[in-house]
Amino acid sequence: MAVFNSNRTIPEVFELVNQQPTNEDKVKVLRAYESKQLRWFVYNMYCVDWSDVKIPKYKPNHRPPEICNASIKSSLTRLEAAYKNNNNNPKLTNKLLDLILHEVSAKEAELLVDMIKGRKVKGVSKKVFKTAFPSFFQEDQDGDTEE
């Protein structure tokens, strides 16, 4: 297993997980990097329906994550507000997402857009996430192991 670095962004953690040879190793890495933002992301990817949320056009921020104005971690409150306000105030949702997508790194923005569009993390199956975070999938009885 790779060396633990608490400064890794969520996309960097997923890249590291994807590099692991076995599902058991992937679960170990996910658990080693367990954090509020990682748990939020996995929960929202599998348990929250973002399909009604429109993604604003944005220009990816190509600065390194270390010098970006925001990260997924620092944007959790805005992301929650964007989701909660989508039905009654879509302009606010659009404004919040626009702000977030412009300020996070390009890889984090791409990951957020994929999550909103219902796409899953490449190279990490649902089975791996279910093993790492079983509390999110207690009602999921279909045995689905797709990515």
Side-chain angles (χ1 to χ4, degrees):
M1 188 164 79
V3 176
F4 179 78
N5 176 352
S6 63
N7 292 321
R8 288 186 199 269
T9 63
I10 293 176
E12 291 169 341
V13 170
F14 288 151
E15 286 174 18
L16 184 61
V17 170
N18 192 23
Q19 294 170 2
Q20 302 309 305
T22 67
N23 282 352
E24 188 175 283
D25 291 334
K26 290 178 182 193
V27 170
K28 286 180 184 177
V29 172
L30 280 172
R31 287 182 175 159
Y33 282 96
E34 185 174 346
S35 61
K36 181 179 179 180
Q37 62 270 18
L38 181 61
R39 290 181 67 79
W40 180 92
F41 190 87
V42 173
Y43 178 79
N44 277 269
M45 183 170 53
Y46 283 105
C47 303
V48 177
D49 181 10
W50 285 79
S51 62
D52 291 339
V53 176
K54 291 189 173 51
I55 300 163
K57 291 188 180 196
Y58 71 98
K59 184 177 179 182
N61 181 350
H62 292 289
R63 294 186 298 178
E66 306 83 49
I67 62 171
C68 287
N69 292 334
S71 65
I72 291 174
K73 178 181 180 177
S74 67
S75 301
L76 290 181
T77 303
R78 287 180 179 158
L79 286 162
E80 286 291 328
Y83 179 78
K84 288 178 183 175
N85 285 290
N86 188 51
N87 289 332
N88 61 350
N89 194 346
K91 285 184 181 183
L92 176 60
T93 294
N94 188 287
K95 183 178 179 179
L96 288 168
L97 287 176
D98 184 58
L99 179 67
I100 294 163
L101 294 173
H102 278 94
E103 292 189 351
V104 300
S105 69
K107 286 186 178 184
E108 284 191 312
E110 179 182 7
L111 198 61
L112 285 170
V113 167
D114 284 349
M115 179 198 73
I116 293 168
K117 288 183 175 182
R119 296 183 193 137
K120 307 305 179 210
V121 176
K122 294 175 187 157
V124 186
S125 68
K126 185 176 182 180
K127 180 180 179 181
V128 169
F129 285 119
K130 284 173 101 171
T131 304
F133 305 109
S135 63
F136 295 158
F137 301 98
Q138 288 180 356
E139 293 181 14
D140 188 5
Q141 300 296 324
D142 64 3
D144 184 17
T145 58
E146 294 180 21
E147 287 186 22

